[in-house]
Amino acid sequence: LEILVTVLNENDNSPVFAQPSLSRDVPEDTKVGTAIVAREELSATDADLDTIYYELTTTVQDTDGYFAIRGVNNPEIYLRKALDYDKFNATTLLLYARDRPVSSPEHTNTATATIAILIKQSDTRAPWFLPCHFLHNDSSVCISSPYSGRVNISEMSTEPLLLEPGPIHAVDPDYTIRDRIVYSIVGGNRDEVFSVDADTGNLTMNKIVTSPDSFLLQVMATQVSNIRKYSVATVEIKVINKSDYPPYFERGVYNGTVFVGLPRRSFVHQAGDPSTPLVITAVDEDFPDV
C-alpha cells in the first residue's frame, strides 16, 4: 500500500529584518527621488517563503510625506519631498514587513524596522545683512534695510563711520555651518574715497571729500569657502557741511492763547496779543544767515 503524505506550510513564522535598527544622515539639499536606504539593507526574509508586503510610516509629527518606499514589495526608501532644515532636522521612520497584504483577513505576522533620519544642514543660503526682518514670518528669507551715514565736506575722519541702522555686518544664515564672511566695496566708490575692512565690515575714509555729492556704495558680503554665496547691501553716505554748534530756541518759554470752539488747524496766538500768531523759532550759529 503506497501512502502519499503532503506537508502543508503553516504560517507560523514572522518576517525577519537583517537590520531591525539603522540610521542615516541626509544632507538638506538632497535631490527629490534620491535613494536614502537601499533595498538590500531593508529586505526582510520569511522562513515560510511568503511574499513580503512593506509599509512605511513616521513617528514624528509634521514629517510625514518626506520619505517613501518604492513599492509595496520594494522597501527601498527614497526622498519624496524637498527637505528644509528650519522645519525639522530629525525624524524616525518605521518600516513594517508583513506576510499578508494589509487588507487580508488572514492571520498576519509582522516585523518592524526602525530608521533614524538625521538631517544635515547644507550651505543653501547667501549671507544676510543685519539687522533684517523675516518676510511673511518665513525664517528662510530675511530682508535688510539700506545703511546710511554722513561725512563732513573737506574733513578727514580717522575713525570707522557711524551708520544707521547699525554697523555693516552680515552672517551666514546656515547657522550650523557659520562660514566666515568677508566684505568688499564693489560699486559707487568714486575716487576710492572709502574702504571697508574685509573682516569687520568697518567703513573708513581714505581721503577727504571736496564736493557735496552723496555716495551710494555697494558693499558685498561673501562666504570664504564659497564665493558664489554672496549678498550686496547699499550704503548711502551724505556729504554735509561741518556743524560745530547745536541749534537752540530763541526763548526758553513760549506762551500762547487759544479760543474755545475754534476749528482744527486754527492758529495759536501770542499771549497778550491775540492778533499775532505764535511763532516758535530756533537758530543755528553754523548758519547765521538762515
Side-chain angles (χ1 to χ4, degrees):
L1 178 64
E2 183 178 300
I3 300 175
L4 298 178
V5 178
T6 301
V7 179
L8 300 178
N9 188 7
E10 180 73 17
N11 184 19
D12 56 355
N13 291 285
S14 296
V16 176
F17 282 105
Q19 299 183 73
S21 179
L22 50 83
S23 61
R24 283 293 183 274
D25 291 344
V26 182
E28 178 188 13
D29 59 352
T30 299
K31 292 183 179 180
V32 171
T34 301
I36 305 302
V37 187
R39 177 177 186 171
E40 294 73 21
E41 297 181 80
L42 293 172
S43 294
T45 58
D46 189 345
D48 298 321
L49 302 180
D50 291 323
T51 300
I52 306 298
Y53 300 87
Y54 298 94
E55 180 187 9
L56 186 69
T57 64
T58 181
T59 63
V60 179
Q61 187 177 3
D62 297 329
T63 64
D64 189 30
Y66 285 89
F67 299 92
I69 56 176
R70 297 292 185 185
V72 68
N73 299 122
N74 183 353
E76 180 180 88
I77 297 176
Y78 70 98
L79 184 64
R80 184 181 180 186
K81 189 165 63 173
L83 298 170
D84 186 343
Y85 186 86
D86 291 329
K87 292 183 178 178
F88 73 97
N89 53 39
T91 187
T92 300
L93 306 177
L94 296 180
L95 180 64
Y96 298 100
R98 299 183 176 91
D99 55 13
R100 296 289 187 273
V102 175
S103 59
S104 174
E106 300 180 38
H107 171 70
T108 303
N109 295 310
T110 304
T112 305
T114 303
I115 303 97
I117 300 293
L118 183 64
I119 311 301
K120 293 292 187 180
Q121 190 173 40
S122 301
D123 190 9
T124 59
R125 292 177 290 191
W128 288 347
F129 281 97
L130 301 181
C132 65
H133 64 277
F134 294 126
L135 186 64
H136 307 308
N137 295 321
D138 182 356
S139 60
S140 64
V141 180
C142 202
I143 306 299
S144 60
S145 300
Y147 296 94
S148 62
R150 59 186 184 181
V151 296
N152 294 326
I153 193 169
S154 302
E155 182 175 308
M156 182 71 177
S157 174
T158 58
E159 297 295 327
L161 301 184
L162 297 178
L163 303 176
E164 294 292 341
I168 297 173
H169 182 61
V171 296
D172 181 1
D174 299 312
Y175 49 85
T176 64
I177 300 174
R178 279 292 190 236
D179 198 0
R180 188 165 69 89
I181 305 297
V182 293
Y183 305 90
S184 60
I185 299 177
V186 294
N189 194 16
R190 299 190 312 272
D191 300 326
E192 302 298 319
V193 171
F194 301 98
S195 62
V196 65
D197 188 285
D199 295 316
T200 65
N202 286 336
L203 190 66
T204 54
M205 297 183 69
N206 298 322
K207 60 181 73 171
I208 63 173
V209 183
T210 57
S211 70
D213 298 329
S214 297
F215 289 79
L216 200 61
L217 306 177
Q218 303 294 318
V219 176
M220 183 167 69
T222 309
Q223 293 181 203
V224 170
S225 64
N226 188 351
I227 61 174
R228 293 185 178 183
K229 289 291 190 298
Y230 67 89
S231 295
V232 177
T234 300
V235 183
E236 182 182 16
I237 303 297
K238 295 181 178 180
V239 181
I240 62 173
N241 291 318
K242 183 178 180 180
S243 178
D244 293 319
Y245 305 99
Y248 62 90
F249 290 103
E250 292 182 311
R251 293 161 54 183
V253 177
Y254 291 84
N255 295 309
T257 299
V258 294
F259 299 96
V260 176
L262 289 177
R264 294 176 60 184
R265 297 185 175 276
S266 295
F267 284 117
V268 176
H269 293 84
Q270 294 186 19
D273 187 1
S275 62
T276 304
L278 178 64
V279 179
I280 299 175
T281 57
V283 295
D284 189 334
E285 294 183 10
D286 291 309
F287 306 94
D289 299 329
V290 178

